[in-house]
Amino acid sequence: MSGDSMNALILKAEQWILPELNSIFDSEESEDIMVKAGQYSLFAGGKRLRPLIMMLTSAMMNLPQGLDSDVKYFAATLEMLHTYSLIHDDLPGLDDDDLRRGKPTCHKVYGEGIAILAGDMLLNKAMERLLSICEKKPGYIYTASAMAENAGVSGMLGGQSIDLASEGKEITMDLLVKLQEKKTGAFIEAAVVTPYYLSKNMTRKEALEDENAKDLRDLASHIGLAFQIKDDILDVTSDSSVLGKSTGKDARDSKATFVTLLGLGGAKEKLGEEIVMIKEILAKLSDKGFDTNDYLTLTDFLVNRDR
């Protein structure tokens, strides 16, 4: 039953976000080969996990219906940032992957040069969107700034840097957690907290002090780690036909993962610990009167997913 519930949520998120994604580029821009390459990856499928999480936070916190279009705007912008990171991550100079979401990677279809530009274009367009909405609604400045930070050296890019510098080296569990909290967790955090930040027109100081915001950031941290640990497990237990991307590449590239540091059994145990923490935070939010049922469905999915 939980699998059916999660599939329904994924479908709902796809239907929710697609119109916004389709509106990003006008017909003239869409004729550019760089934009075509970016759209190829942007519409390649996937779970739309980050837009889904934004949708779940909005529903859980019972945010005003009028906020939906702005949440959707930020969700599409985050999806662009995530897609740019995947395009660049798949390049020969980084992970050198041929397969993503069951399809050839962007550089395999359009060439390495165009793929680099496509990633740059999505990043730049995302930043244009963040600045544009802040022109219209200055109260969103911190939310936009926080999302930009999630993409930068203190977020995803910082994690990528640690990851690349650590190849072939032994690293500590603390460094691995820091790496993944940035590389995977930063965009998960953006998805979890953005709707709440928007609803309150939060400043940086308010976001750091607000108890609900703190709970949401803690929730995001454990969701991000749980998602990455499961990814590491699937890299050694699944195959590319199911996963939709190359498997065994962590061992190929001598990358430190939760499996290489803890063993398969230890990684599964660590995943269980993260799930316990997620459920404890959700119980705390439930006690405050928030509806956490869909987030619990997502939590079950994190454990049981096969791709």
Side-chain angles (χ1 to χ4, degrees), residues 74-93:
F74 274 84
T77 305
L78 181 59
E79 195 72 348
M80 295 167 70
L81 290 170
H82 176 57
T83 302
Y84 122 75
S85 75
L86 297 182
I87 292 173
H88 281 190
D89 195 42
D90 290 335
L91 289 168

Side-chain angles (χ1 to χ4, degrees), residues 16-307:
W16 179 73
I17 197 62
L18 270 181
E20 186 69 30
L21 291 175
N22 281 318
S23 73
I24 291 169
F25 300 101
D26 62 33
S27 57
E28 183 177 347
E29 289 173 326
S30 295
E31 291 303 309
D32 189 296
I33 187 65
M34 168 185 66
V35 176
K36 287 181 185 293
Q39 289 178 313
Y40 168 79
S41 294
L42 191 61
F43 294 102
K47 295 176 283 294
R48 300 293 186 202
L49 180 66
R50 290 146 196 85
L52 168 58
I53 288 174
M54 283 208 190
M55 199 176 68
L56 295 189
T57 295
S58 294
M60 178 175 70
M61 309 301 283
N62 196 27
L63 301 185
Q65 290 295 313
L67 195 66
D68 184 71
S69 62
D70 289 344
V71 173
K72 195 180 301 183
Y73 183 98
F74 274 84
T77 305
L78 181 59
E79 195 72 348
M80 295 167 70
L81 290 170
H82 176 57
T83 302
Y84 122 75
S85 75
L86 297 182
I87 292 173
H88 281 190
D89 195 42
D90 290 335
L91 289 168
L94 290 173
D95 275 4
D96 193 14
D97 256 322
D98 298 341
L99 195 67
R100 172 72 67 177
R101 293 169 174 167
K103 298 179 180 180
T105 49
C106 188
H107 70 277
K108 285 295 178 182
V109 176
Y110 288 93
E112 190 174 340
I114 292 296
I116 292 170
L117 291 179
D120 291 344
M121 179 274 301
L122 287 171
L123 170 61
N124 195 79
K125 189 74 169 180
M127 294 303 167
E128 289 176 33
R129 284 170 62 87
L130 292 178
L131 290 169
S132 178
I133 198 169
C134 288
E135 280 187 295
K136 302 170 188 172
K137 300 184 177 181
Y140 288 174
I141 286 174
Y142 173 67
T143 306
S145 173
M147 184 173 286
E149 287 179 20
N150 287 131
V153 67
S154 61
M156 183 275 299
L157 278 177
Q160 288 279 37
S161 178
I162 297 171
D163 193 22
L164 198 61
S166 300
E167 282 187 9
K169 300 177 183 177
E170 290 186 10
I171 66 172
T172 65
M173 177 57 65
D174 285 346
L175 184 57
L176 178 60
V177 168
K178 179 181 178 182
L179 185 167
Q180 298 301 357
E181 283 181 337
K182 289 186 171 191
K183 183 179 176 182
T184 301
F187 283 165
I188 298 291
E189 178 181 303
V192 172
V193 302
T194 291
Y196 186 67
Y197 287 176
L198 290 174
S199 72
K200 303 293 184 181
N201 284 333
M202 280 191 159
T203 64
R204 183 180 299 271
K205 184 174 185 295
E206 290 168 340
L208 292 175
E209 294 176 351
D210 185 279
E211 287 302 316
N212 288 334
K214 290 178 184 178
D215 288 341
L216 289 174
R217 285 193 296 272
D218 287 344
L219 178 66
S221 176
H222 293 292
I223 288 175
L225 284 175
F227 188 84
Q228 185 59 51
I229 294 166
K230 185 66 175 184
D231 253 16
D232 290 352
I233 291 170
L234 289 173
D235 189 65
V236 299
T237 61
S238 187
D239 61 73
S240 58
S241 64
V242 175
L243 205 54
K245 61 182 180 179
S246 304
T247 55
K249 60 189 178 72
D250 293 332
R252 179 199 72 186
D253 296 334
S254 300
K255 285 194 173 185
T257 70
F258 288 97
V259 173
T260 60
L261 263 65
L262 299 174
L264 184 57
K268 290 179 178 179
E269 184 177 337
K270 176 68 173 170
L271 174 60
E273 292 170 359
E274 294 301 321
I275 296 300
V276 168
M277 293 302 299
I278 291 170
K279 290 185 175 180
E280 286 183 0
I281 296 167
L282 290 176
K284 182 179 179 182
L285 289 168
S286 180
D287 288 343
K288 293 181 179 181
F290 298 120
D291 182 356
T292 60
N293 286 329
D294 285 343
Y295 255 113
L296 287 169
T297 297
L298 173 65
T299 304
D300 291 338
F301 169 76
L302 292 175
V303 179
N304 299 314
R305 69 187 178 96
D306 59 4
R307 59 184 175 88

